[in-house]
Amino acid sequence: MNRICSGSGLVRRLAGSLLAAATLGLAGLAAAETIYLPITRVGEWPVPCANETLGTCHNRWHPDIKPAATANQGDQVIFETRDALDGPYRWDSGPKTVAASNLNIIHPLTGPLYVNGAERGDVLAVTVLDVIPGPDRFGYTIIVPGFGFLRDVFTNPYIVHWKLLQRPTGVYYATSDDLPGVELPLHGFTGTIGVGLGMPEIETVYQREEELRKAGGFVLPPEPQDAVPSDVCGPGGKAASRCLRTIPPRENGGNSDVKQMVRGTTLLFPCWVKGCMLSMGDTHFAQGDGEVSGTAIEMNAVVTVKVEVRKGLGAYVRWPQIEGKAVPGILKDLEPDRFVATMGIPVKPKGELPAPLKYLDGARFGNLTNMSEDTTLAARDSLLKMIDLLTGPQSPSKHKLSREQAYILCSVACDLKISNMVDVPNFVVTTVLHVDVFK
């Protein structure tokens, strides 16, 4: 297979790998080649995935999707990525645009990257070298009706536009006129990053999710409409009934939204197909643990990684793992210097069945005010208390916040933490707000 693919997989390599490595500050990697997976832009804005002529975008998982580029072990790979919803928002977008959001196009992913030497049963190690905003310097956080952790509470569309700025020192930060007095530092990571699934895994995933869907669970089954590539996954596509949506994380990684996958970490993925077939997108400027509104500070971005193959380790790494061994203090950098926190336990109003629990036996649970050993309900209780705090007289914000603004702030600057899972029946989840974000 060619290193620079042609036709549907046209890409180009960066000339002068030594110069590229020096520019990116990748000490010790200058001898490696640099592979570049670009996206097409009109001005500073990416074109939609379906309009991409370079063959570098897809929004479904299936092993018949062709690779966009190849790399060898040790190569640096630069992925240009789109935002999670494929670029429908601009600076003047409002609630009507959010209400019209098309969830069929989530998530446009750059790739797949075929890694030479990777076989089924191996592990692909992906070290994150850099994550920076794309040239438009635009981010957003939204509330989409019917989506998000508190979708039964926040039923109206809402959007916060973020300016992704850079100080003369090179440090990036985000501010918004829609959420005044708040400033967040860059802790960039790919919300969606994963490898290709083999057909046995595709079938296993499909069957278990279909069983859950039929039981009333919140599952998005294969949807040919707006699927890319259309010849594989679209209407009449040869594999349309088994092209999996990218919204849930699975054995191959995918949309895990783990905020700790920042620069300096190494992500381990079990290889299910030859070449492992790495793809990524849905890059976040910053996110709270939980991403409760359904979105972080979403952005298109430029992500640089190093790829290596760990032969035969797939027998021990059956699900994705994250390593932070090489760079000390990664998790400390993500923690707040100052904070305020609310505690939640699994309680609820009598007669109410929160959205995540509605597929369960409503007649049995609806009239209970206390559930047993339920971290989902404890998280909800804690989060609602934080929203009350942020909108009440004890708020650390100097600006009065609406409940929608508070919910958005929790999505980008609050961490949901499991505090105990032993004190029956009331497990505790704590919502920790980074007070440092208020300037």
Side-chain angles (χ1 to χ4, degrees):
M1 185 176 295
N2 293 330
R3 299 273 278 158
I4 304 177
C5 300
S6 60
S8 63
L10 177 63
V11 297
R12 58 184 174 89
R13 276 185 301 185
L14 286 179
S17 296
L18 292 172
L19 178 60
T23 301
L24 291 167
L26 308 180
L29 296 179
E33 291 198 68
T34 300
I35 311 302
Y36 184 44
L37 280 79
I39 61 178
T40 301
R41 300 178 188 270
V42 175
E44 298 176 338
W45 304 91
V47 302
C49 184
N51 297 343
E52 182 57 77
T53 60
L54 300 177
T56 55
C57 191
H58 64 99
N59 60 19
R60 300 292 189 272
W61 295 114
H62 195 275
D64 286 351
I65 297 174
K66 296 178 180 178
T70 64
N72 291 324
Q73 291 197 55
D75 280 349
Q76 308 154 43
V77 188
I78 300 175
F79 290 78
E80 292 189 9
T81 66
R82 291 171 170 80
D83 69 70
L85 280 92
D86 206 4
Y89 312 119
R90 296 292 186 269
W91 294 109
D92 59 350
S93 296
K96 288 184 178 180
T97 305
V98 176
S101 298
N102 181 5
L103 300 187
N104 287 344
I105 59 179
I106 299 175
H107 299 90
L109 304 179
T110 304
L113 175 75
Y114 184 103
V115 181
N116 290 323
E119 304 278 352
R120 184 181 175 93
D122 294 337
V123 166
L124 185 67
V126 181
T127 299
V128 183
L129 302 174
D130 204 12
V131 180
I132 61 173
D136 60 16
R137 298 293 192 262
F138 171 75
Y140 63 85
T141 309
I142 56 174
I143 301 172
V144 177
F147 195 68
F149 187 43
L150 299 181
R151 57 188 177 273
D152 54 335
V153 177
F154 293 91
T155 58
N156 294 320
Y158 198 83
I159 185 169
V160 168
H161 312 76
W162 296 94
K163 304 171 187 176
L164 310 182
L165 305 173
Q166 189 175 22
R167 303 190 195 281
T169 58
V171 174
Y172 288 95
Y173 63 101
T175 66
S176 176
D177 295 339
D178 304 317
L179 201 54
V182 171
E183 180 181 303
L184 285 90
L186 172 65
H187 291 303
F189 70 98
T190 48
T192 303
I193 180 170
V195 295
L197 288 166
M199 280 311 302
E201 291 71 39
I202 290 282
E203 193 61 29
T204 295
V205 168
Y206 174 80
Q207 292 299 337
R208 76 182 182 218
E209 291 182 359
E210 185 65 8
E211 289 175 358
L212 178 58
R213 187 185 68 82
K214 290 179 178 178
F218 195 169
V219 175
L220 298 176
E223 172 54 67
Q225 187 65 40
D226 302 312
V228 180
S230 59
D231 62 330
V232 177
C233 301
K238 61 182 180 179
S241 67
R242 290 298 186 274
C243 284
L244 299 180
R245 304 286 288 276
T246 64
I247 288 181
R250 303 183 179 95
E251 293 90 327
N252 64 323
N255 186 34
S256 55
D257 289 321
V258 177
K259 65 176 281 186
Q260 290 76 19
M261 300 190 304
V262 292
R263 187 169 82 171
T265 58
T266 296
L267 318 179
L268 305 182
F269 299 101
C271 293
W272 307 105
V273 295
K274 191 173 182 179
C276 219
M277 304 292 274
L278 175 68
S279 299
M280 66 182 70
D282 177 29
T283 310
H284 298 169
F285 185 96
Q287 178 199 293
D289 264 332
E291 196 191 17
V292 291
S293 81
T295 54
I297 298 183
E298 308 289 335
M299 65 175 181
N300 67 75
V302 181
V303 182
T304 306
V305 301
K306 176 186 176 184
V307 293
E308 297 177 296
V309 179
R310 300 184 183 180
K311 298 297 294 182
L313 292 187
Y316 309 101
V317 181
R318 302 294 295 175
W319 289 77
Q321 298 178 9
I322 307 168
E323 293 181 346
K325 301 175 182 179
V327 180
I330 291 177
L331 294 186
K332 290 181 180 179
D333 288 343
L334 299 176
E335 293 298 320
D337 292 328
R338 299 176 300 134
F339 71 93
V340 61
T342 52
M343 293 194 305
I345 62 173
V347 294
K348 64 181 184 64
K350 187 178 183 66
E352 178 182 291
L353 199 62
L357 304 179
K358 284 185 177 178
Y359 78 101
L360 300 175
D361 187 349
R364 182 179 180 185
F365 298 121
N367 286 326
L368 293 176
T369 58
N370 205 140
M371 301 282 281
S372 179
E373 305 172 76
D374 191 326
T375 53
T376 298
L377 193 56
R380 179 186 174 95
D381 181 52
S382 178
L383 179 59
L384 287 169
K385 289 173 178 173
M386 178 56 73
I387 292 171
D388 288 343
L389 173 67
L390 285 168
T391 55
Q394 299 300 311
S395 175
S397 173
K398 295 181 180 179
H399 300 266
K400 183 173 178 58
L401 300 178
S402 69
R403 294 188 69 79
E404 288 78 10
Q405 287 174 313
Y407 187 33
I408 291 284
L409 183 60
C410 288
S411 199
V412 301
C414 286
D415 296 326
L416 296 182
K417 295 182 178 290
I418 296 176
S419 300
N420 99 65
M421 295 188 68
V422 292
D423 298 334
V424 294
N426 292 339
F427 292 172
V428 173
V429 174
T430 308
T431 300
V432 180
L433 169 67
H434 294 228
V435 175
D436 311 297
V437 303
F438 295 109
K439 303 297 180 183

